[in-house]
Amino acid sequence: MLPFNINQTLVTGAFEGEVGLLRASGKFPHLQVMGIGNLEAAVNLSDYLFRNKEIRHIVFFGSCGAYEWSGIPTKSFVSPNIIYTKELGHVLKLSKQIPESPEFYQLVPDKTFRTVQGNAPTTITLKELNSPPEPSWKDLEVENLELFGISKIVSRFSITATAYLAVTNQVGPEGSKDWAENWKELSHSLQNQFLEKMRSI
């Protein structure tokens, strides 16, 4: 776990289940859920940071699906260092993606976990993807729904962020079902790992 000043750190997740054990510990003066999806997370995080100007670091707890070509197994844990927002509909020529500038944001990974490159589109990918749909996707390893929005706000406020993600499923047609079956057990495991590391500091 990265060293951080707990009084200047916001601990967050998309919904209460992803941070409930951390909240129950009473160890975090700044702990707030930000909502599901890039837009919801960005709006709520921006509001929180405007009201709590002492915050210098974000620690995000969440879940993700792994793209099949990444080789990352379900029920593992990762920490992204780069996050994009690439839409599959654009690749399939079903829609046109609005360009983002910059195209990606950097996070501060916890290197005791596997470091990955993430994708945070606006929708959940349900199509079977055995290989990257185009060359620009080949380095993408996991898919999460909030981290691009969070990273954009973090950049605007000139602070830093670290994300811890439980790999609940493989991206594809069964992804949502597998997420529903796995998120609680894996989220509790992830939160407990974090609390255990805090006890050793």
Side-chain angles (χ1 to χ4, degrees):
M1 186 181 70
L2 296 171
F4 63 95
N5 182 333
I6 200 167
N7 294 312
Q8 296 179 317
T9 299
L10 169 62
V11 175
T12 188
F15 63 98
E16 186 63 26
E18 294 181 324
V19 295
L21 298 183
L22 302 175
R23 187 186 301 281
S25 76
K27 295 180 181 296
F28 305 96
H30 295 280
L31 191 154
Q32 183 73 36
V33 297
M34 292 300 154
I36 297 171
N38 285 314
L39 180 59
E40 186 78 6
V43 169
N44 289 329
L45 178 58
S46 181
D47 179 64
Y48 193 93
L49 293 176
F50 272 124
R51 291 184 289 107
N52 297 273
K53 298 186 185 302
E54 69 273 26
I55 300 299
R56 305 309 308 154
H57 190 68
I58 309 293
V59 177
F60 178 85
F61 288 86
S63 61
C64 65
Y67 292 117
E68 186 170 333
W69 60 85
S70 72
I72 297 172
T74 299
K75 299 190 176 182
S76 58
F77 302 97
V78 298
S79 184
N81 64 342
I82 291 176
I83 192 78
Y84 290 83
T85 182
K86 291 182 178 288
E87 300 290 349
L88 184 61
H90 174 78
V91 176
L92 300 178
K93 303 189 184 312
L94 299 173
S95 61
K96 183 161 180 67
Q97 182 159 3
I98 298 170
E100 289 284 350
S101 182
E103 185 181 6
F104 63 86
Y105 291 96
Q106 293 185 315
L107 302 174
V108 180
D110 183 334
K111 293 184 178 179
T112 62
F113 290 74
R114 176 169 174 169
T115 301
V116 296
Q117 291 193 27
N119 187 31
T122 56
T123 57
I124 298 169
T125 300
L126 296 178
K127 181 177 174 59
E128 186 173 352
L129 293 176
N130 298 319
S131 60
E134 68 174 19
S136 70
W137 284 57
K138 69 181 177 61
D139 293 327
L140 300 179
E141 297 167 280
V142 300
E143 181 174 291
N144 164 272
L145 294 179
E146 292 80 34
L147 277 177
F148 191 83
I150 285 174
S151 299
K152 181 183 278 286
I153 298 303
V154 162
S155 176
R156 294 279 174 88
F157 279 80
S158 299
I159 61 178
T160 56
T162 297
Y164 297 88
L165 302 178
V167 182
T168 54
N169 58 276
Q170 299 294 300
V171 173
E174 300 299 312
S176 291
K177 177 178 73 70
D178 292 343
W179 177 88
E181 292 176 357
N182 292 328
W183 78 263
K184 189 171 185 179
E185 173 193 351
L186 294 175
S187 177
H188 283 189
S189 176
L190 180 59
Q191 291 176 72
N192 281 325
Q193 286 182 56
F194 196 80
L195 289 169
E196 188 60 36
K197 288 182 178 181
M198 281 198 68
R199 293 186 191 103
S200 66
I201 294 177

